[in-house]
Structure formats: structure tokens, C-alpha cells
Amino acid sequence: MSIYDELKFNDDGLIPAIIQEQSTRRVLMMAWMNRASIEKTIASGKTHFWSRSRQKFWMKGETSGHTQTVKDIAFDCDGDTLLVQVEQTGAACHEGYKSCFFRSVEPDGKSFRTTEPPLEMPEEINGKK
Amino acid sequence: MSIYDELKFNDDGLIPAIIQEQSTRRVLMMAWMNRASIEKTIASGKTHFWSRSRQKFWMKGETSGHTQTVKDIAFDCDGDTLLVQVEQTGAACHEGYKSCFFRSVEPDGKSFRTTEPPLEMPEEINGKK
């Protein structure tokens, strides 16, 4: 049985992919894949996504060098979400943070705080584009 | 500034929430929240979701007892995904597995294997409903 018999894509042909750093178990980001980007991710060993805003296929780190080497691809009971274990080079977030999840809700339930310093300045990353 | 100024809900008023077990850093599941379920999650300290298939508001574990106590709520740079740290009681997956991500793609890139034994039988969980 193939994974493609189990996976359920949404009406746009997409499935969300949670990216986790295998060594630290840190959740780095969430992005969308279509079938072609899953196949490319598996074949190349580097994460490839579908950009909904740009309607474009992209390899993570293709301009910044912040690639993700794939270690494992899991999928959930409903087959509608992927969990990809990776080895991350540099910052996963385009704003220079290791993880895109660098802000947390405060105890008041409304305000929020930044929970870590950036690894790099966004200009450095953008400059590499 | 409020988190609700930063969060972006999709056309259905929903945002995906990744649920991670804080103690083990295991990713347990992904489900959808709307603004009311986020507010309820924050106010109660237990995860609440919106079921797209049932069009219904639900507290995780309301029938099975497998509740999730919220430890932290983070959101990503784009404000379109939540990452919720929890303390999980029992199995997170309705199929009896600790995590919904209990299957991984094999090296051939097509077949898959189950990567862990279930904690409970689904009948036990369903029987509690």
C-alpha cells in the first residue's frame, strides 16, 4: 500500500507539513505541500513546498542556504497532516529566528512576548536572496 | 497589542494548531481552532477545537478523558499557525496511539510502517464516548 492511498489533500491539492528539528525536537515551521512537492522532497532529501501566496514550488533554503535535510516523514491517523523530521541549516524563519514560533501568549491571554533572540538579522538572510 | 491583531484565520475562520507534548517535545496532533475555541482554550486551560467534519466545537478528551492541559501557546511569524504545548493525559490519538503521527514513510518513498504500539485499544477509547 502506498502513502498516496492514505494521504488526503485539501480542495487546493495541498496538505500541511509540520517541520520538526530531529535533534532538538523543536517545531520549526509549518508549510504546505502538494503531491509533486512531497515526491520532490522524498527524491531529493530536501524539503520542498508549495507557496500559496506566490503559487510557486520552492525548495526551502534555495536562496538563503537554510536548507532542511529530511530524516523522516510521518503522517497522521486521518492522513491529512505530515510531520517531517529534519536537520536544519541556520535559521528556519525568514525573520532570522531558529523557529518561526518565536512569540508566545502572555498569561493575560491577549498580549504576547518574544521568547528568543534571532540567530541572524533578516537583512542578512534577504541579502542572500 | 493583542494576539488577535497578529493571528490570521483562513476563509472559514480557522487556524491550524499543532499540539506538542511539552515534557517529551513529541508532536501529538494537529487540529483546527477558531477564535472562540482559542478564547475557550486560554480561559479554561484545556484545548478546545473546531471540528470541520462535524461543524462542532469540542474539548479534547471531553468523552475519552484524554484531555490536554495547556502550558504555552506560541504562534508563527506569519500569524497563521499556532503551536500549543500541553501535558497530555493518555493517548492523544483516537486510534489509541500516544501521537497521531504513528506511521512513517519507508526508504522506498512509497510504502510505510507503523512506528509504535498503541497505548490503548480504540474500543476502550470509543467505549468511553
Side-chain angles (χ1 to χ4, degrees):
Chain A
M1 193 182 260
S2 159
I3 55 168
Y4 299 107
D5 297 322
E6 298 291 316
L7 298 183
K8 291 185 200 112
F9 296 88
N10 71 11
D11 291 344
D12 296 322
L14 301 174
I15 189 168
I18 301 164
I19 310 299
Q20 184 173 29
E21 186 175 56
Q22 190 176 51
S23 60
T24 62
R25 312 199 90 175
R26 182 98 196 263
V27 175
L28 299 176
M29 57 182 280
M30 201 278 273
W32 296 80
M33 291 187 175
N34 57 13
R35 177 159 175 163
S37 68
I38 294 174
E39 290 172 340
K40 187 74 175 171
T41 295
I42 290 171
S44 68
K46 302 284 182 185
T47 55
H48 286 71
F49 302 101
W50 176 258
S51 168
R52 295 178 301 165
S53 58
R54 292 178 291 154
Q55 290 285 303
K56 188 175 168 284
F57 192 63
W58 59 290
M59 184 182 88
K60 173 71 181 169
E62 64 189 1
T63 52
S64 65
H66 296 175
T67 56
Q68 295 171 336
T69 302
V70 176
K71 297 298 181 179
D72 185 76
I73 301 175
F75 54 97
D76 72 350
C77 50
D78 295 328
D80 62 5
T81 307
L82 300 174
L83 174 61
V84 183
Q85 303 292 334
V86 303
E87 182 182 296
Q88 171 72 50
T89 300
C93 182
H94 72 289
E95 293 191 25
Y97 295 87
K98 177 76 183 188
S99 162
C100 294
F101 297 94
F102 58 85
R103 295 174 294 179
S104 285
V105 181
E106 288 278 32
D108 68 7
K110 291 216 166 140
S111 58
F112 56 90
R113 68 189 182 284
T114 297
T115 51
E116 65 183 81
L119 293 181
E120 295 185 54
M121 290 297 104
E123 305 83 59
E124 294 173 36
I125 297 172
N126 296 332
K128 289 182 197 158
K129 269 187 184 165
Chain B
M1 193 181 261
S2 158
I3 54 167
Y4 299 107
D5 296 322
E6 298 291 317
L7 298 183
K8 292 185 199 111
F9 296 88
N10 71 11
D11 291 345
D12 296 321
L14 301 175
I15 187 168
I18 301 164
I19 310 299
Q20 184 173 29
E21 185 174 56
Q22 191 177 51
S23 60
T24 62
R25 310 198 93 175
R26 181 98 197 264
V27 175
L28 300 176
M29 56 183 280
M30 201 278 273
W32 296 79
M33 291 186 174
N34 57 13
R35 177 160 175 163
S37 68
I38 294 174
E39 290 173 341
K40 187 76 175 170
T41 295
I42 290 171
S44 68
K46 301 284 182 185
T47 54
H48 286 71
F49 302 100
W50 176 257
S51 167
R52 295 178 301 165
S53 57
R54 292 178 291 154
Q55 290 285 303
K56 188 175 168 283
F57 191 64
W58 58 290
M59 184 182 88
K60 173 72 181 168
E62 65 189 1
T63 51
S64 64
H66 296 175
T67 55
Q68 295 171 336
T69 303
V70 176
K71 297 296 182 181
D72 185 74
I73 300 175
F75 54 98
D76 72 352
C77 48
D78 295 327
D80 62 6
T81 307
L82 300 174
L83 175 61
V84 183
Q85 302 293 334
V86 303
E87 183 183 295
Q88 171 73 50
T89 300
C93 181
H94 73 289
E95 294 191 24
Y97 295 86
K98 177 76 183 189
S99 163
C100 294
F101 298 94
F102 57 85
R103 294 175 295 180
S104 283
V105 181
E106 288 278 32
D108 68 6
K110 289 212 166 145
S111 58
F112 55 89
R113 69 188 182 284
T114 297
T115 52
E116 65 183 80
L119 292 182
E120 295 186 55
M121 290 296 104
E123 306 82 59
E124 295 174 37
I125 298 171
N126 296 331
K128 290 183 198 156
K129 266 187 184 166

